[in-house]
Amino acid sequence: TTISLTNTESEKFVGYRPSDLEDKRRAIDFVARDDLKRIMGYQQMRKVDPDKAPRSYDLKIVDRLGNVRDVHITIALIPDTRKTIASFIDITEQKKMEAALKESEAKYRNIFHNAMEGIFQMGVQGEILSANPSFARFFGYKLPEDIMRGVRDIRYEIYVDEGQRNELKRLLDKHGFVHNFEVHCRRKDGQRIWASLNMRIVRGGDNKIICYEGTLVDITERKEVQEDLLSKSRSLEETNAALRVLLRQREADK
């Protein structure tokens, strides 16, 4: 299709003045190679059945210097003719922002799914809204979907100690977050484990609580070592106390 009418804005898109475009060049000449087959298909469709051809779509155009630009095009048919009018909107920056957002989302998903720490979101009623694989495995589930279906209220089904549960709620209500809060938990098979929990409250625009989100790490082995050391320390203190009693008795006997 030969270009027969342009305005001064067209120079920004293709690098040619209107007088250099009209009746001298085809619109298809400015379409990027990757989009060429698709756009030619639209043109063919428009000749056969104009009503089925898309009236607006995105494509890339190339100006006379080889610069590529993303545009959104809108096609309007001129009544009683086989001609069309096309208008362009530059969406290059919008496309860049969309690409950057997709890249950021991909990085987040990668971190979320591959993190060694358990990552989760919990609803106000204790339901698990989202969880990563590490969180599910930590509590003995194969997949995040399994623990999300299997646990109705994490506060009572997973947190073992009522005192810890109440203290966690008190700290969250007071500060809005907790760091390295140690909590005794129950796995799917009933085994007791320890976790170090980081959690914060997420609020909406009306300041109402939307959910809680946080991370946790397994500290069971560390707690067991601490308990073992504490037990040995108590035993040693008791032994020392007994020795002191014996020494005092020996002195008294002398």
Side-chain angles (χ1 to χ4, degrees), residues 198-214:
N198 294 324
M199 187 186 291
R200 75 181 186 97
I201 296 175
V202 180
R203 298 183 183 273
D206 55 0
N207 205 39
K208 289 185 178 180
I209 298 176
I210 298 175
C211 66
Y212 302 85
E213 59 184 23

Side-chain angles (χ1 to χ4, degrees), residues 11 56 88 130 182-183 185 195 215:
E11 187 173 356
S56 63
F88 295 85
S130 66
E182 295 184 357
V183 59
C185 301
T215 63

Side-chain angles (χ1 to χ4, degrees), residues 65-117:
L65 299 177
N67 300 314
V68 180
R69 188 189 299 256
D70 288 286
V71 298
H72 181 77
I73 182 173
T74 301
I75 303 290
L77 298 175
I78 300 177
D80 302 321
T81 71
R82 299 180 63 86
K83 295 182 178 181
T84 59
I85 294 177
S87 62
F88 295 85
I89 298 176
D90 190 342
I91 58 171
T92 305
E93 291 304 316
Q94 176 183 329
K95 287 290 185 179
K96 288 180 180 179
M97 291 175 63
E98 289 175 357
L101 180 60
K102 287 181 180 179
E103 182 180 358
S104 177
E105 289 176 346
K107 288 181 179 179
Y108 170 76
R109 284 194 298 270
N110 183 59
I111 293 172
F112 182 77
H113 286 290
N114 298 313
M116 297 298 292
E117 299 85 357

Side-chain angles (χ1 to χ4, degrees), residues 12 15 46 53 68 103 127 132-133 140 152 167 169 190 192 214 217-218 235 252:
K12 296 179 181 179
R46 199 171 293 115
V68 180
E103 182 180 358
E127 70 277 22
N132 71 341
R152 295 181 179 274
E167 178 65 7
K169 183 180 185 305
R192 302 296 176 92
V217 293
D218 187 351
S235 178

Side-chain angles (χ1 to χ4, degrees), residues 13-251:
F13 289 93
V14 294
Y16 289 92
R17 294 175 297 177
S19 58
D20 294 330
L21 282 173
E22 293 180 8
D23 298 321
K24 298 176 183 178
R25 300 184 181 278
R26 299 178 304 162
I28 205 76
D29 293 338
F30 301 105
V31 178
R33 181 176 298 178
D34 293 343
D35 289 331
L36 190 58
K37 184 177 180 180
R38 176 169 61 93
I39 302 306
M40 290 183 69
Y42 292 165
Q43 285 191 350
Q44 187 63 32
M45 189 184 301
R46 199 171 293 115
K47 292 177 182 178
V48 177
D49 192 344
D51 292 332
K52 289 186 178 180
R55 299 295 179 89
S56 63
Y57 45 85
D58 296 346
L59 76 156
K60 295 181 183 293
I61 61 174
V62 184
D63 66 18
R64 67 186 184 90
L65 299 177
N67 300 314
V68 180
R69 188 189 299 256
D70 288 286
V71 298
H72 181 77
I73 182 173
T74 301
I75 303 290
L77 298 175
I78 300 177
D80 302 321
T81 71
R82 299 180 63 86
K83 295 182 178 181
T84 59
I85 294 177
S87 62
F88 295 85
I89 298 176
D90 190 342
I91 58 171
T92 305
E93 291 304 316
Q94 176 183 329
K95 287 290 185 179
K96 288 180 180 179
M97 291 175 63
E98 289 175 357
L101 180 60
K102 287 181 180 179
E103 182 180 358
S104 177
E105 289 176 346
K107 288 181 179 179
Y108 170 76
R109 284 194 298 270
N110 183 59
I111 293 172
F112 182 77
H113 286 290
N114 298 313
M116 297 298 292
E117 299 85 357
I119 304 174
F120 68 97
Q121 282 187 325
M122 181 185 78
V124 293
Q125 300 302 321
E127 70 277 22
I128 301 173
L129 302 177
S130 66
N132 71 341
S134 291
F135 184 86
R137 288 193 298 268
F138 183 75
F139 293 106
Y141 293 83
K142 290 184 178 181
L143 298 171
E145 293 78 10
D146 295 337
I147 192 171
M148 290 168 65
R149 287 192 299 265
V151 176
R152 295 181 179 274
D153 192 333
I154 189 175
R155 299 169 298 180
Y156 298 94
E157 296 176 52
I158 285 182
Y159 298 157
V160 174
D161 190 296
E162 183 179 359
Q164 291 175 349
R165 186 165 57 242
N166 294 336
E167 178 65 7
L168 176 61
K169 183 180 185 305
R170 186 187 70 81
L171 292 173
L172 285 171
D173 290 342
K174 181 178 181 180
H175 304 292
F177 64 90
V178 294
H179 287 305
N180 300 323
F181 184 86
E182 295 184 357
V183 59
H184 207 187
C185 301
R186 180 189 298 108
R187 283 168 52 92
K188 181 182 179 182
D189 58 7
Q191 179 186 355
R192 302 296 176 92
I193 53 178
W194 281 92
S196 177
L197 179 67
N198 294 324
M199 187 186 291
R200 75 181 186 97
I201 296 175
V202 180
R203 298 183 183 273
D206 55 0
N207 205 39
K208 289 185 178 180
I209 298 176
I210 298 175
C211 66
Y212 302 85
E213 59 184 23
T215 63
L216 57 80
V217 293
D218 187 351
I219 60 169
T220 305
E221 185 175 346
R222 190 185 80 192
K223 292 293 289 186
E224 289 175 350
V225 171
Q226 288 176 346
E227 288 295 330
D228 185 53
L229 289 174
L230 184 60
S231 176
K232 289 179 179 178
S233 177
R234 284 197 294 263
S235 178
L236 184 59
E237 288 176 358
E238 291 170 359
T239 302
N240 287 337
L243 285 173
R244 284 194 294 270
V245 170
L246 288 173
L247 287 173
R248 284 196 298 268
Q249 184 64 44
R250 184 177 180 183
E251 291 297 321

